[in-house]
């Protein structure tokens, strides 16, 4: 960006306040944001007139009030596709980590130095093949997860606003559910791949967790807001769910100590919002931001612009 444009970078790599963001924007055409920058309606109202494009470095845009931005005549872009495969890889890794006790096995060896050697009943986990996976949100990432899971022998179920065409469903032998509640009672693993919007906030509510099968578990590489975390913790504590593998969790006031306790007890696997954190994805995300800016500044519609609604 610095080669192509006159660029002001947040070199400190720390989250800026709204006022700090505004202070750096005087006379600028473009604001490049990422998930930790809260671009709400108030900040949008206070943006200098020079700013015409918000180019998000990221797929999800729930940190931006997109409706307010579009209503103010701004263009908003994101960086989809380039992080799909890496994010799906991480979902698959998390799906394996719980039943195959990957973290626990490593900790026993390395942290606890407590391995007594192989024995027939040591570190027994559960087989993935033959289990039913319920994917919530069958977009790009959900579909990429389904492809991987199919190769691992999981039976694919999905809930999505729209049923996917036979060309997508058939190779996956996927079962479509138009009723999320019904799907939850029919699967062993629930993996969340829907964006965080007003409609999807707590899509996995306490009521819905109660509908999940005894001993089933949750994978979330999307957004913490999709899950009622307090209810999830309670459902694992009381043994209804066997666990959760979470790349995202509520971290606004630190991580919930009860969630951490469950992680210590190896019922929960936590990773640090790193599903898309590959060097390759970050480079391609940056390149996509640049393509969006360049086409916009050249007077064209940028390829990854968001539409109203
Ligand atoms: C990114 C993500 O790292 O792109 C997304 O939606 O959740 C992450 O994987 C982050 O958003 C960058 O802004």
């Amino acid at each position: 960006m610095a080669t192509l444009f006159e660029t002001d970078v947040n070199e400190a790599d720390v989250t800026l306040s709204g006022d700090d963001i505004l202070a750096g924007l005087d006379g600028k055409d473009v604001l490049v944001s990422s998930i930790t920058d809260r671009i709400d309606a108030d900040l949008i109202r206070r943006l200098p007139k020079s700013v015409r494009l918000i180019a998000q470095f990221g797929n999800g845009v729930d940190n931006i009030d997109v409706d307010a931005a579009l209503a103010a005549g701004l263009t908003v872009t994101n960086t989809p596709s380039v992080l799909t495969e890496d994010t799906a890889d991480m979902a698959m890794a998390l799906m394996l980590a719980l039943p195959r006790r990957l973290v626990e096995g490593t900790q026993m060896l390395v942290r606890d130095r407590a391995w007594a050697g192989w024995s027939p009943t040591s570190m027994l986990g559960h087989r993935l093949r033959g289990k039913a996976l319920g994917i919530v949100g069958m977009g790009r990432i959900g579909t990429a997860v389904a492809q991987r899971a199919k190769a691992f022998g999981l039976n694919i179920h999905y809930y999505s606003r729209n049923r996917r065409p036979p060309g997508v469903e058939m190779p996956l032998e996927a079962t479509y559910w138009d009723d999320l509640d019904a799907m939850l009672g029919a699967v062993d693993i629930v993996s969340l791949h829907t964006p965080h919007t007003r409609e999807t906030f707590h899509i996995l509510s306490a009521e819905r967790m109660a509908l999940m099968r005894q001993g089933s578990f949750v994978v979330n590489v999307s957004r913490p807001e999709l899950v009622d975390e307090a209810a999830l913790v309670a459902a694992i504590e009381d043994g209804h769910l066997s666990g959760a593998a979470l790349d995202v969790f509520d971290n606004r006031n630190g991580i919930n100590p009860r969630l951490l306790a469950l992680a210590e007890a190896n019922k929960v696997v936590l990773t640090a919002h790193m599903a898309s954190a590959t060097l390759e994805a970050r480079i391609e995300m940056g390149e996509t931001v640049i393509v969006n800016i360049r086409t916009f500044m050249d007077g064209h519609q940028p390829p990854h612009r968001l539409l109203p609604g």
Side-chain angles (χ1 to χ4, degrees), residues 34-35 57-60 83 223 273 276 282 285:
S34 64
I35 186 172
F57 177 84
N59 183 26
L83 38 70
R223 286 291 183 269
H273 194 159
S276 73
R282 291 291 183 257
M285 287 164 72

Side-chain angles (χ1 to χ4, degrees), residues 240-259:
H240 174 56
L241 301 184
S242 65
L246 309 174
D247 188 51
V248 288
F249 34 81
D250 186 357
N251 192 30
R252 284 168 304 173
N253 303 306
I255 304 173
N256 178 349
R258 281 166 62 192
L259 190 65

Side-chain angles (χ1 to χ4, degrees), residues 271-292:
T271 52
H273 194 159
M274 52 201 241
S276 73
T278 65
L279 184 59
E280 291 85 349
R282 291 291 183 257
I283 289 171
E284 290 174 19
M285 287 164 72
E287 286 168 348
T288 307
V289 168
I290 291 170
V291 169
N292 282 328

